[in-house]
């Protein structure tokens, strides 16, 4: 039967350690860090571009949808196989192929951990700037797919500003290269098009990354405020002063409670908000600049501004921000994190609206976010074992995104659209806009097999397929590549 033939073909390419098809194994790959779920039919673990090509061609012959997954840290359902099909997991493609200190370049495979790039570059006095909070776990392939940001994107920009070229496998198995090692290339910016396309245009198998000289010195400040409004006004004043720190992160009272209980990093438990600020550059004059920023914070009623005295204290202060999402387990079993962006001067008003939404839906919402560029991350706390509470969390999240767009912002800054926000895209884009993007997608992915039904509002075809998928998932679980029943064969894509 079709399923058994598929498994046998994949085993011939990947071997027994490179293919998963047993139901209990597939359960581990039915989710990412969002709240959406969808079980793939089979999972493969390529170690080379050639194996990715082989997997894509096999899927093409069987008419299967393809979902690519990295470390599974995505927050919008982009790596969820809600249509079933073949999942390609790139975590075994983890070679750093080259560090070029003369031309400030690195060439890496998609499964390389984000932090590993900077660690490898550090020997040459270099660093890779994009630093998602999950940088100890997330992979470059996923960062490219979602155009990830991070705390230091205020000064250095997001992933697209640091990707020079890509090797990409198209849905028919053709391998192309876009961009390259040079600073600029003629013609259309296909590299920029691929970055942030969420796996709908091609599968990245290599990336040429821009490296930067590591800053000579870094000074970290912790500014403590009684209210979120005071902290927000201080952020706007720092930027308006012409000073662009490496990072400005904010946590509100609820987030501080969770983080300090979990990490013991020195945040005052009674604070209404704290700002974590990095100032980077040459050593000379950096302390003076830090003190200048401290005075701005004090002008906006900061009750305390603490300057880290050594690298250990700096690391301790940042450990709270980097571990903030995980610390939410102190407050609730689950959280739904949103990713809206608003103009900086709208921060106080939008944050007040977020708290009002939380009260109206009967939900606690913590705020941990990139204040410097207005990229909000409201964490809606709930218990997924309670269907009614889960429904309210999802509705509250959608309302928060509407508020961000109404304030002149956008519906994602770095987490992507994926499944979570695809039906909210018309808030930001006209039908003509969406049609233009659909035509670009069709040029690369004409049969809609690469990450289908992501990014754009669900079509009738997607909804019908999803209905068949739900029916298939309700069937009794059987083990091994055994012959499916007639009903299973009908439901299997």
């Amino acid at each position: 039967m079709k399923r058994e033939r598929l498994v046998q073909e994949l085993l011939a390419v990947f071997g027994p350690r490179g293919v998963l098809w047993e139901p209990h194994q597939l359960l581990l790959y039915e989710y990412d860090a969002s709240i959406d779920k969808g079980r793939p039919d089979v999972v493969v673990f390529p170690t080379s571009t050639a194996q990715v090509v082989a997997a894509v061609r096999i899927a093409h012959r069987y008419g299967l949808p393809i979902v690519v997954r990295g470390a599974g840290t995505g927050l919008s359902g982009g790596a969820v196989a809600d249509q079933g099909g073949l999942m390609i997991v790139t975590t075994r493609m983890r070679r750093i192929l080259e560090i070029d200190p003369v031309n400030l370049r690195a060439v890496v495979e998609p499964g390389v951990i984000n932090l590993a790039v900077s660690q490898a570059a550090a020997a040459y006095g270099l660093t890779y700037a994009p630093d998602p909070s999950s940088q100890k776990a997330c992979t470059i392939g996923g960062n490219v797919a979602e155009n990830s940001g991070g705390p230091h994107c205020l000064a250095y920009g997001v992933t697209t500003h640091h990707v020079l070229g890509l090797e990409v496998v198209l849905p028919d198995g053709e391998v192309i290269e876009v961009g390259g090692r040079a600073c600029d290339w003629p013609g259309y910016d296909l590299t920029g098009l691929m970055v942030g396309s969420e796996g709908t245009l091609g599968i990245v198998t290599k990336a040429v990354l821009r490296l930067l000289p590591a800053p000579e010195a870094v000074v970290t400040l912790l500014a403590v405020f009684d209210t979120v409004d005071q902290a927000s006004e201080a952020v706007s004043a720092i930027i308006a002063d012409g000073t662009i720190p490496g990072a400005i992160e904010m946590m509100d009272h609820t987030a501080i409670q969770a983080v300090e209980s979990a990490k013991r990093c020195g945040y005052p438990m009674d604070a209404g908000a704290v700002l974590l600020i990095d100032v980077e550059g040459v050593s000379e004059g950096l302390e003076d600049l830090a003190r200048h920023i401290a005075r701005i914070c004090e002008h906006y009623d900061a009750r305390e501004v603490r300057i880290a005295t050594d690298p250990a204290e700096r690391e301790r202060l940042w450990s709270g921000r980097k571990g903030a999402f995980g610390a939410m387990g102190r407050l609730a079993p689950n959280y739904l994190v949103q990713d809206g962006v608003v103009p900086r001067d709208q921060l106080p008003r939008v944050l007040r609206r977020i708290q009002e939404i939380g009260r109206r839906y009967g939900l606690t919402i913590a705020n941990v976010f990139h204040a410097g560029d207005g990229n909000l991350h409201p964490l809606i706390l709930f218990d997924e074992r309670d269907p009614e509470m889960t429904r309210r969390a999802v509705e509250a999240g959608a309302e928060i995104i509407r508020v961000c767009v109404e304030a002149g912002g956008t519906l994602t800054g770095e987490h992507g659209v994926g499944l979570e926000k695809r039906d909210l895209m018309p808030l930001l884009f006209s039908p003509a806009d969406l049609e233009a993007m659909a035509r670009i997608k069709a040029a690369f992915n004409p049969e809609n097999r690469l990450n289908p039904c992501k990014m754009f509002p669900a079509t009738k075809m997607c909804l019908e397929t999803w209905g068949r998928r739900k029916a298939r998932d309700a069937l009794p679980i059987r083990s091994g590549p055994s012959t499916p029943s007639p009903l299973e064969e009908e439901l299997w894509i």
Side-chain angles (χ1 to χ4, degrees), residues 341-342 400-411 424 427-428:
V341 183
V342 299
I400 288 170
I401 292 302
R402 291 188 184 95
V403 168
C404 291
V405 174
E406 289 167 4
T410 183
L411 47 79
L424 298 176
L427 293 175
L428 200 61

Side-chain angles (χ1 to χ4, degrees), residues 71-138:
T73 59
L75 289 157
S76 61
V80 173
D82 68 318
Q83 307 297 310
L86 176 68
M87 177 174 284
I88 297 176
V89 179
T90 59
T91 50
R92 295 183 187 174
M93 298 178 68
R94 52 179 180 263
R95 294 181 299 163
I96 296 177
L97 300 170
E98 182 182 356
I99 299 289
D100 179 355
V102 175
N103 295 300
L104 304 180
R105 308 284 182 263
V107 182
V108 306
E109 292 183 325
V112 172
I113 301 295
N114 176 288
L115 183 59
V117 181
S118 284
Q119 289 173 333
Y124 304 94
L126 303 174
T127 189
Y128 178 62
D131 61 337
S133 294
S134 57
Q135 69 175 151
K136 293 181 179 179
C138 64

Side-chain angles (χ1 to χ4, degrees), residues 229-243:
D229 280 11
Q230 292 168 343
S232 299
E233 289 167 359
V235 171
S236 294
I238 291 168
I239 303 298
D241 183 67
T243 301

Side-chain angles (χ1 to χ4, degrees), residues 134-183:
S134 57
Q135 69 175 151
K136 293 181 179 179
C138 64
T139 61
I140 293 298
N143 294 170
V144 170
E146 305 299 331
N147 192 20
S148 300
H152 290 85
C153 67
L154 171 62
Y156 299 108
V158 293
T159 296
T160 191
H161 302 109
H162 301 272
V163 177
L164 297 171
L166 298 167
E167 179 184 86
V168 179
V169 178
L170 299 179
D172 62 356
E174 182 183 359
V175 180
I176 64 171
E177 292 185 0
V178 297
R181 295 169 183 262
C183 291

Side-chain angles (χ1 to χ4, degrees), residues 317-364:
L317 291 174
W318 270 105
S319 70
R321 171 60 186 92
K322 294 286 187 176
F325 285 15
M328 293 302 140
R330 298 268 175 163
L331 304 180
N334 304 95
Y335 65 78
L336 172 63
V337 59
Q338 280 299 346
D339 177 41
V341 183
V342 299
R344 275 186 296 268
D345 63 354
Q346 294 295 310
L347 280 174
R349 185 176 72 83
V350 171
L351 289 168
R352 286 194 293 270
R353 289 286 305 277
I354 289 171
Q355 292 309 311
E356 185 274 325
I357 290 169
R359 287 192 294 272
R360 183 151 38 84
Y361 283 92
L363 299 165
T364 299

